[in-house]
Amino acid sequence: QSGYILGLNVSDDRVTKLLHKKALGIQSIDCYVDKHTLRVVAMTNTGHLLSHYNGEWTDRKVHDKFGLCCVLSPDGQFLATGGSDAKIRLFRLEENNIFELNPLCDSKLKWIWCLQFSFDSQFLFVSSSDGVVQMWSLRDWTIKRNYRGHKKSVVSLSLFEYRQKHTRDHQGL
């Protein structure tokens, strides 16, 4: 646990040090890559968001207490963070600029452990210490659904896309 962020190029087994200063206590990390862009974000346990965009690093305090998670949207336009302060923070990304869209979202949840965007980047799923998963719409920033049933913290989320072919038999049922 040196505190460095390393990048692994799987095509040629090279390891590149992306963060050249120590960043201790990294709780979560995510990346977005397309033809022209490499963006890496990391959340530290002190509530700092580290952001790497095409060679430049920025560091900003985004949570008052422990930072627990950060995630980039599949389209590369949004970043969401969560922490022990029970706040979800949503940012819009434009090159090396990060614009905060909702500074103090009140989720009515306890610690925010995990965040996951839908595949179309239209929804944000949020898991918490009180066993609830919420589905937020990014269009109007409202809760569309609460998933309940866990007795303890939901600390991880994984989404998959399910598409069912709708076919009709000869009776039209």
Side-chain angles (χ1 to χ4, degrees):
Q1 285 189 311
S2 64
Y4 294 106
I5 296 175
L6 302 176
L8 173 62
N9 183 337
V10 294
S11 65
D12 62 6
D13 281 341
R14 285 185 303 133
V15 175
T16 305
K17 191 181 288 187
L18 294 176
L19 184 58
H20 295 284
K21 65 177 188 172
K22 282 197 171 187
L24 298 176
I26 293 173
Q27 295 294 317
S28 178
I29 191 166
D30 199 9
C31 68
Y32 173 81
V33 179
D34 70 10
K35 293 178 190 174
H36 310 288
T37 305
L38 168 63
R39 184 181 298 277
V40 179
V41 292
M43 176 59 61
T44 70
N45 60 5
T46 58
H48 285 261
L49 175 68
L50 306 175
S51 177
H52 175 275
Y53 179 79
N54 287 343
E56 280 187 52
W57 280 97
T58 59
D59 179 344
R60 72 193 297 179
K61 179 89 168 162
V62 295
H63 290 281
D64 296 332
K65 298 179 181 177
F66 298 109
L68 298 172
C69 53
C70 62
V71 65
L72 293 163
S73 63
D75 62 8
Q77 294 182 22
F78 297 101
L79 161 68
T81 68
S84 65
D85 55 7
K87 292 185 173 87
I88 305 161
R89 300 194 123 174
L90 183 67
F91 304 88
R92 185 171 45 88
L93 305 173
E94 289 183 11
E95 296 183 356
N96 204 30
N97 297 314
I98 300 176
F99 302 99
E100 191 159 16
L101 297 178
N102 70 324
L104 300 173
C105 174
D106 184 12
S107 63
K108 306 272 192 278
L109 298 175
K110 294 181 181 175
W111 289 28
I112 306 299
W113 282 103
C114 189
L115 301 162
Q116 189 70 49
F117 283 98
S118 61
F119 296 99
D120 60 4
S121 301
Q122 297 297 307
F123 298 96
L124 179 65
F125 292 84
V126 178
S127 72
S128 68
S129 287
D130 49 1
V132 176
V133 175
Q134 293 180 334
M135 181 176 78
W136 289 78
S137 168
L138 296 185
R139 191 172 310 211
D140 58 6
W141 200 238
T142 59
I143 299 171
K144 296 299 181 188
R145 179 175 267 173
N146 283 301
Y147 299 91
R148 300 183 188 280
H150 290 275
K151 303 258 187 262
K152 296 190 177 185
S153 300
V154 180
V155 297
S156 182
L157 293 170
S158 179
L159 301 180
F160 67 94
E161 188 172 17
Y162 177 74
R163 293 184 185 197
Q164 180 179 1
K165 269 190 173 176
H166 296 286
T167 59
R168 293 183 178 191
D169 63 13
H170 66 281
Q171 296 176 349
L173 299 176

